[in-house]
């Protein structure tokens, strides 16, 4: 049963920790609040904000989604969910989330800004913050930061701190060359100054500083000091004729009726507006919008009406200057494009959008055109799908594979996948051909797609383990084989593959030579990087050099440490070997990375099994 009183106490402590920028502590309190009352959407919203502040966007997304599930009518939840999706580069999902939020709160500034940023990032608009602009957060954008300072006084205050701004520019510039290095640097800087994450988020158009407060949580803010209002400029004179004024009134009434879906009445208002001022494109364009909503039987009528007005644009402009301006003509072309798009006449729709852009190069139309091009591509792919033909190509591919004609087999599997992209086994078959062609990264992509379609496909795990093995990523190979054995404990391919990997790890660990290719692969793995940057692991590595017995004791009592060490050993970062105790080892071979001795100086056996760490791990 929910204990709302205890939950509220935890929430207050969480809010206090968040304001102090102690995000891990805040997460702890909000988690406790959720345990007392898992039905309160605010707790999930606040914890999502904490996770986002720590760059744990997967966790932030899970909490944001739960918040929306618990209270779908609350706009703030969509902001949380959209923010996480944006930083996870799920731009399509973020766009849909922000749109859903804007249906509830059409004027919400955070949702509108989030939608703009997600749309721009999707199409790699410079300065949008997508990875296409360079690094995890795009290029440094002073204009975006200045705009954020106008919305948020805290950001304006932060911008006065020269040291903070220097750190920000340093983090953003590093992203141009290495996202991994940028992520590491950001985590280091955040430990010194958590404000930097708020500034980066603000530059992306996001606000992660605000917590969701229920009524009464905080005292009312002090009333702002009244400021002298600047002298208002006189509005420009209204040069419209009485007929044009009356026509605009009818148009406004028509717009209101359109929003209420009273289409017949809306048409009557637009007809009256046209009767008063027949030389105004907007009235015809709005009338055609009503016809489109009324159904496909009116599409021909819409196109005929708008084509006629485009042909008469100069005549209309002569009779009513501005009545057929470039911007209004662009809107007419966009309306025609929407009709063609609904009819799936993609080429005609693209032509109309391009004509619209020649009249008025607006961001909205550019995005609409890109969406249309993607819709066309998707439609063509779906139209091409034919499972029967896919099976024919798969069988041909299998025949080529048996004949060891792997390139020809891959071509057949390519065509099979185009014919049926939802068949998991096709990706597995192509991965087998790619493995034979030594294209291991491409094979892994296919196997990931295969498992995404069918997570229970054991053969895909077996082939994935083999690909990682050939790439000398032994820790990942073990994970793949273990996943397969969880699904089928008696699977011989996974059993034999795992045994082969374990034997290779043991052989590598005992070897005096360092496999630089293996180390290079390991150090490029984000999971290994995360382990090496874990303070607990660093402490263990130091302890292993200074007091091996204590280190072994600590590892024996800590499952997390055991798992981390196992992964480092499988990756070749931690090694074991028979090394003479009297010998001070500095390197394993000429030109290889030096080794760091982890055993104590008091070893008395001339030859014993000791644990050695690569210097790259010891130096973290």
């Amino acid at each position: 049963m929910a204990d709302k009183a205890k939950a509220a106490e935890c929430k207050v402590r969480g809010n206090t920790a968040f304001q102090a920028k102690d995000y891990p502590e805040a997460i702890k309190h909000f988690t406790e609040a959720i345990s007392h009352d898992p039905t309160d959407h605010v707790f999930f919203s606040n914890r999502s904000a904490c996770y986002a502040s720590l760059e744990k966007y997967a966790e932030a997304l899970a909490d944001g989604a739960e918040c929306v599930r618990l209270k779908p009518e609350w706009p703030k939840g969509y902001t949380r969910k959209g923010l996480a999706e944006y930083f996870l580069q799920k731009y399509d999902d973020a766009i849909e989330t922000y749109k859903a939020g804007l249906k509830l709160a059409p004027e919400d500034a955070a949702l509108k800004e989030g939608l703009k940023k997600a749309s721009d990032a999707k199409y790699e608009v410079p300065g949008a913050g997508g990875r296409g602009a360079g690094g995890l957060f795009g290029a440094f954008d002073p204009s975006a930061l200045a705009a954020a300072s106008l919305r948020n006084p805290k950001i304006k205050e932060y911008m006065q701190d020269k040291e903070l701004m220097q750190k920000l520019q340093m983090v953003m510039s590093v992203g141009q060359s290495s996202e991994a290095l940028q992520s590491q640097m950001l985590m280091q800087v955040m430990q010194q100054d958590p404000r930097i994450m708020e500034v980066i988020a603000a530059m992306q158009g996001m606000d992660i500083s605000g917590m969701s407060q229920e009524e009464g949580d905080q005292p009312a803010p002090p009333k702002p000091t009244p400021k002298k209002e600047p002298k208002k400029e006189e509005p420009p004179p209204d040069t419209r004729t009485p007929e044009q004024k009356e026509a605009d009134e009818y148009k406004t009434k028509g717009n209101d009726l359109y929003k209420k879906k009273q289409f017949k009445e809306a048409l009557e208002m637009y007809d009256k507006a046209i009767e008063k001022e027949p030389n105004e494109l907007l009235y015809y364009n709005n009338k055609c919008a009503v016809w489109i909503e009324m159904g496909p039987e009116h599409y021909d009528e819409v196109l005929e009406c708008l084509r006629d007005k485009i042909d008469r644009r100069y005549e209309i402009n002569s009779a009513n200057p501005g009545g057929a301006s470039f911007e209004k003509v662009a809107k007419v072309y966009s309306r025609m494009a929407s009709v063609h798009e609904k009819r799936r006449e993609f080429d005609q729709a693209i032509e109309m959008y391009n004509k619209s852009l020649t009249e008025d190069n607006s961001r909205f139309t550019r995005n609409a055109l890109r969406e249309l091009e993607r819709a066309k591509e998707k439609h063509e792919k779906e139209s091409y799908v034919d499972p029967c033909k896919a099976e024919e190509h798969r069988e041909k591919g299998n025949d080529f594979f048996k004949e060891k004609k792997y390139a020809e087999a891959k071509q057949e599997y390519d065509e099979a996948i185009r014919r049926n992209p939802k068949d998991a086994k096709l990706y597995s078959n192509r991965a087998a051909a790619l493995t034979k062609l030594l294209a291991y990264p491409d094979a892994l992509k296919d196997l990931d797609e295969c498992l995404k379609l069918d997570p229970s496909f054991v053969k895909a795990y077996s082939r994935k383990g083999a690909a990682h093995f050939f790439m000398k990523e032994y820790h990942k190979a073990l994970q793949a084989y273990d996943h397969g054995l969880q699904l089928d404990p008696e699977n011989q391919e996974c059993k034999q593959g795992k045994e082969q990997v374990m034997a290779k790890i043991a052989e590598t660990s005992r070897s005096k030579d360092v496999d630089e290719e293996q180390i290079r692969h390991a150090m490029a793995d984000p999971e290994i990087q995360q382990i090496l940057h874990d303070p607990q692991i660093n402490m263990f590595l130091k302890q292993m050099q200074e007091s091996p017995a204590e280190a072994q004791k600590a590892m024996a009592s800590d499952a997390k440490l055991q798992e981390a060490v196992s992964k480092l050993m499988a990756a070749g970062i931690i090694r074991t070997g028979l090394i003479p105790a009297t010998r001070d080892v500095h390197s394993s071979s000429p030109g290889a990375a030096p080794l760091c001795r982890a055993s104590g100086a008091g070893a008395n056996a001339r030859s014993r099994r000791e644990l050695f760490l690569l210097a790259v791990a010891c130096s973290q």
Side-chain angles (χ1 to χ4, degrees), residues 492-543:
Q492 290 303 311
E493 289 183 4
C494 288
K495 276 186 173 182
Q496 292 170 7
K498 183 175 181 180
E499 289 173 2
Q500 183 183 21
V501 174
M502 295 295 291
K504 190 66 178 178
I505 291 173
E507 177 190 335
T508 305
S509 296
R510 289 191 298 268
S511 172
K512 295 180 181 181
D513 297 326
V514 174
D515 189 330
E516 294 185 8
E517 182 184 354
Q518 181 190 10
I519 301 304
R520 193 163 54 248
H521 279 290
M523 295 308 295
D525 182 356
E527 184 182 12
I528 297 298
Q529 286 281 358
Q530 186 177 5
I531 292 174
L532 291 176
H533 285 85
D534 187 321
Q536 183 184 4
I537 302 300
N538 279 309
M539 191 179 300
F540 168 78
L541 297 180
K542 286 183 180 178
Q543 192 176 33

Side-chain angles (χ1 to χ4, degrees), residues 35-242:
S35 69
H36 291 305
D37 183 8
T39 63
D40 194 319
H41 62 284
V42 175
F43 302 156
F44 289 96
S45 173
N46 288 2
R47 192 170 70 174
S48 178
C50 295
Y51 280 131
S53 300
L54 292 172
E55 285 192 285
K56 295 184 177 180
Y57 299 117
E59 292 87 344
L61 175 56
D63 277 356
E66 182 64 14
C67 175
V68 170
R69 188 189 71 79
L70 289 171
K71 194 159 186 177
E73 69 275 15
W74 194 50
K76 186 79 168 181
Y78 295 90
T79 305
R80 299 291 190 216
K81 183 170 178 280
L83 172 70
E85 290 166 337
Y86 172 83
F87 279 109
L88 288 171
Q89 296 188 68
K90 298 182 177 181
Y91 300 130
D92 288 323
D93 293 343
I95 288 169
E96 292 305 314
T97 298
Y98 284 127
K99 284 181 178 178
L102 285 168
K103 287 181 181 178
L104 301 171
E107 300 304 319
D108 188 287
L111 288 169
K112 288 165 92 173
E113 186 67 21
L115 177 59
K116 176 182 179 298
K117 283 288 182 182
S119 297
D120 287 349
K122 177 180 177 181
Y123 301 114
E124 298 186 357
V125 174
R131 294 199 185 184
L136 295 168
F137 311 104
F140 180 69
D141 190 348
S143 61
L145 196 57
S149 69
L150 296 175
R151 297 190 299 270
N152 189 341
K154 284 178 66 178
I155 302 301
K156 185 176 182 180
E157 179 184 338
Y158 293 164
M159 289 177 67
Q160 307 303 316
D161 188 330
K162 292 183 179 179
E163 185 177 351
L164 176 62
M165 289 298 101
Q166 287 175 352
K167 291 178 182 177
L168 172 66
Q169 291 191 39
M170 179 176 63
V171 170
M172 298 300 286
S173 62
V174 167
Q176 302 294 326
S177 57
S178 170
E179 291 183 5
L181 185 59
Q182 184 184 41
S183 179
Q184 295 173 25
M185 183 176 291
L186 178 60
M187 294 305 294
Q188 293 174 2
V189 174
M190 277 183 63
Q191 292 176 358
Q192 302 170 2
D193 193 339
R195 296 177 301 168
I196 192 167
M197 195 61 215
E198 286 186 52
V199 178
I200 291 175
M203 195 159 57
Q204 309 299 317
M206 314 295 178
D207 180 8
I208 62 172
S209 63
M211 299 298 294
S212 306
Q213 301 289 347
E214 292 188 21
E215 190 173 352
D217 274 2
Q218 296 286 346
K223 294 183 179 180
T225 306
K227 296 181 180 179
K228 292 183 180 180
E229 293 187 5
K231 187 177 180 180
K232 294 183 179 179
E233 295 182 4
E234 291 293 327
D238 189 347
T239 59
R240 293 178 298 168
T241 65

Side-chain angles (χ1 to χ4, degrees), residues 299 337-349 372 375-376 378-380 382-383:
Y299 290 170
S338 70
V339 173
H340 288 300
E341 184 175 0
K342 289 178 182 294
R343 286 179 161 178
R344 295 186 178 274
E345 298 169 350
F346 295 108
D347 290 334
Q348 293 94 318
L372 176 62
K376 177 188 176 185
K378 180 182 178 183
H379 175 72
E380 289 174 347
E382 290 174 350
S383 301

Side-chain angles (χ1 to χ4, degrees), residues 271-343:
D271 283 336
K272 288 182 178 181
I274 291 170
E275 184 180 345
K276 291 294 180 181
E277 176 51 87
N279 296 301
E280 174 56 65
L281 279 188
L282 283 183
Y283 303 157
Y284 296 100
N285 202 34
N286 288 9
K287 181 180 179 179
C288 288
V290 178
W291 277 338
I292 291 172
E293 290 293 328
M294 291 173 70
E297 65 271 15
H298 295 280
Y299 290 170
D300 286 333
E301 200 172 359
V302 170
L303 293 174
E304 184 180 350
C305 173
L306 295 179
R307 284 194 199 103
D308 176 65
K309 300 307 171 286
I310 292 291
D311 292 340
R312 295 179 50 234
R313 62 183 295 184
Y314 300 111
E315 176 189 333
I316 291 172
N317 254 342
S318 298
N320 175 29
S325 64
F326 292 115
E327 292 81 2
K328 293 175 183 178
V329 171
K331 289 180 180 179
V332 169
Y333 277 127
S334 293
R335 185 79 69 201
M336 295 170 72
S338 70
V339 173
H340 288 300
E341 184 175 0
K342 289 178 182 294
R343 286 179 161 178

